[in-house]
Amino acid sequence: MDKHYDGTKIAKFIGFALVGIFMFFIPITINEKSTIPLDHIVSYIQTIPGWGPVYSGIIVTVGGLLPFIRKDWNKSTSDMVFSIFKLAGIVLIAMAIFGFGPAFLHAPDIIPFIYGKIVVPVTTIVPVGAIFLAFLVNYGLMEFIGVFMQPVMNPIWKTPGRSAIDAVASFVGSYSLGLLITNQVYTEGKYTGKQAAIIATGFSTVSATFMVIVAKTLGLMEYWLLYFWLTLVITFIVTAITSRIYPLNRKPDTYFNNMEGSPEPVPSGNRLRRAYEEGMDAMEKAPTVVESVWDTLKKGIMLALSIGPLLMSVGVLGVVLAAHTPVFDIIGYIFYPFTLLAQIPEPLLAAKAMALSIAEMFLPALLVTEAPFITKFLVGIVSVSEILFFSASIPCIIATEIPLTIKDYLIIWVERVVISIIIAAPILHILF
């Protein structure tokens, strides 16, 4: 039997969906900068005098002390390790703000880069994004989209239809927005641990805006559309493969804290009507806007407190190891056989560049700016499709409830780099 809803509820459903879509997915141009409205708001907030040092200083300091205030810093070995890293984050943000400490750490690509380009924007966008996240996830839009995307998402990526929202949010917004959505939906019992792990390590890419920076650095802007779409397609093909192999295929298909969960229903009959009913049902059960926004804002602030100190300490450690030790040169030999077999020009340089991606996704581009064109194009693709890096995305996932370990991140990273080379290299040889 068809369900009927009054006009007011339908108008609210459409209105809230449009607010969420506009804030997260519709690029607008302000002052010659084209990006999503949420990014414009965050950019404006960062121009407030003293915002960076005051806000990020408070977030990192409070976040670093929180495990000790809550007395849960020594709950497990990993908690102890990350709590120590969070304390280190307090010291490093103080060095960033007040300018003291060893001179080599103040090189433009170490503390200033991690602080200015990662810590301040990410810790700002997570709580601000959380305010508008309520419109995206609480009022039926995810359920509505999910009914349409289920035949695509489930067979290919082993995730529910509603996860399509995560994938798009990452590409047009940022991985931190994608992870904020994933964690919220997972803790509400709408993703299993396995699904959340696949989404976090497979869809939470850097944004298209950051891809422009990579393309400019590598001189690929002449081929921007080809680079963007090729990278997008390869990233999602790699995710379809990694979702079926260890460690992701071994993750438990259970809900957060063993709750009962709300699996996506399999639609029957008219898909449009089913999507409409699912969306409206979810909206009817949703709390008020004030309650929703307050709830997501609190979660966003807690996530920022957890992410901030880890971004600062793990990020600095990663770029220091990359700049001052041979660690990543050695790791590069993992990928050398693949770049060699794929007949990539300067295969050892390409392999070493890809090894740097685990520290920070932008570093590989800097290493191959003078390399042959195909090498640059391949490194540009892999630095995005690998997804996991210690300066930002890994600390962001660590700060969520998603069930992944450091061993998982490292194995999935190696898998993603290798599979990306195997898929991308033949395509680039054909095209160029």
Side-chain angles (χ1 to χ4, degrees):
M1 197 173 112
D2 289 346
K3 294 182 183 178
H4 295 281
Y5 303 93
D6 65 50
T8 309
K9 285 178 180 167
I10 295 169
K12 277 173 72 177
F13 169 70
I14 294 169
F16 291 157
L18 289 175
V19 170
I21 290 166
F22 175 70
M23 293 307 299
F24 284 86
F25 301 132
I26 308 295
I28 57 171
T29 303
I30 299 175
N31 295 333
E32 297 180 0
K33 180 187 175 185
S34 177
T35 186
I36 55 170
L38 181 59
D39 196 31
H40 282 300
I41 293 170
V42 169
S43 298
Y44 174 74
I45 289 170
Q46 288 179 80
T47 63
I48 297 169
W51 176 264
V54 174
Y55 171 75
S56 63
I58 291 169
I59 286 285
V60 172
T61 304
V62 173
L65 294 173
L66 215 50
F68 300 92
I69 294 167
R70 289 192 303 226
K71 295 186 170 57
D72 60 2
W73 67 275
N74 58 352
K75 202 166 60 176
S76 67
T77 307
S78 60
D79 282 319
M80 287 170 70
V81 171
F82 290 129
S83 296
I84 291 162
F85 269 113
K86 286 181 178 183
L87 285 180
I90 298 174
V91 176
L92 288 164
I93 196 120
M95 289 164 66
I97 294 166
F98 300 110
F100 66 88
F104 81 95
L105 288 178
H106 289 279
D109 58 348
I110 300 182
I111 282 181
F113 171 74
I114 296 295
Y115 167 69
K117 298 293 182 190
I118 294 175
V119 175
V120 177
V122 171
T123 56
T124 305
I125 203 168
V126 167
V128 176
I131 294 169
F132 299 101
L133 184 67
F135 297 100
L136 209 58
V137 301
N138 286 355
Y139 294 101
L141 180 63
M142 286 192 91
E143 285 75 8
F144 182 83
I145 298 287
V147 173
F148 288 106
M149 292 305 294
Q150 201 177 64
V152 179
M153 302 304 291
N154 204 7
I156 299 176
W157 293 289
K158 308 279 189 187
T159 63
R162 52 173 77 116
S163 63
I165 292 276
D166 285 27
V168 179
S170 294
F171 258 98
V172 298
S174 76
Y175 52 84
S176 53
L177 289 178
L179 288 167
L180 183 64
I181 294 169
T182 307
N183 194 51
Q184 169 99 356
V185 179
Y186 171 53
T187 54
E188 286 175 355
K190 293 177 182 174
Y191 291 153
T192 64
K194 184 178 187 175
Q195 291 166 348
I198 291 168
I199 294 160
T201 60
F203 297 149
S204 300
T205 60
V206 292
S207 65
T209 320
F210 207 87
M211 286 173 69
V212 172
I213 298 168
V214 173
K216 278 183 179 173
T217 305
L218 292 172
L220 302 176
M221 283 310 287
E222 187 185 341
Y223 300 94
W224 163 247
L225 282 178
L226 175 66
Y227 170 65
F228 176 81
W229 287 110
L230 204 51
T231 304
L232 180 107
V233 170
I234 288 169
T235 300
F236 288 166
I237 292 171
V238 172
T239 302
I241 296 167
T242 56
S243 67
R244 288 166 166 78
I245 57 178
Y246 180 84
L248 288 174
N249 67 348
R250 298 285 180 84
K251 289 291 165 191
D253 233 345
T254 52
Y255 290 94
F256 179 61
N257 279 349
N258 290 315
M259 65 167 71
E260 196 176 315
S262 309
E264 218 169 44
V266 179
S268 56
N270 185 306
R271 199 170 281 275
L272 177 60
R273 173 154 290 285
R274 190 74 195 135
Y276 163 72
E277 287 177 356
E278 286 289 329
M280 292 299 293
D281 282 351
M283 204 211 72
E284 282 203 317
K285 293 172 191 167
T288 65
V289 172
V290 173
E291 288 169 339
S292 273
V293 168
W294 178 237
D295 184 53
T296 53
L297 177 60
K298 281 191 294 187
K299 287 176 181 172
I301 291 167
M302 291 311 295
L303 193 56
L305 289 169
S306 193
I307 290 169
L310 284 174
L311 286 176
M312 197 70 225
S313 59
V314 177
V316 168
L317 177 64
V319 292
V320 165
L321 288 174
H324 296 282
T325 73
V327 168
F328 295 102
D329 287 354
I330 296 162
I331 294 170
Y333 283 101
I334 296 171
F335 308 121
Y336 181 49
F338 299 96
T339 53
L340 193 64
L341 287 169
Q343 298 184 317
I344 298 300
E346 298 191 35
L348 187 57
L349 176 70
K352 288 180 177 180
M354 289 165 192
L356 285 171
S357 67
I358 190 68
E360 156 58 38
M361 65 78 56
F362 190 55
L363 294 177
L366 299 176
L367 193 64
V368 296
T369 49
E370 304 300 318
F373 181 77
I374 284 184
T375 306
K376 289 197 291 187
F377 213 120
L378 180 70
V379 168
I381 290 169
V382 173
S383 63
V384 176
S385 64
E386 58 87 19
I387 286 183
L388 299 167
F389 50 99
F390 275 109
S391 72
S393 67
I394 291 174
C396 283
I397 304 171
I398 288 168
T400 68
E401 308 291 342
I402 298 163
L404 287 160
T405 64
I406 294 294
K407 186 180 95 169
D408 292 334
Y409 299 129
L410 295 174
I411 293 170
I412 295 165
W413 169 69
V414 171
E415 290 171 351
R416 294 193 68 89
V417 172
V418 169
I419 298 166
S420 297
I421 296 168
I422 292 167
I423 296 169
I427 296 171
L428 292 175
H429 282 307
I430 292 165
L431 290 174
F432 301 107

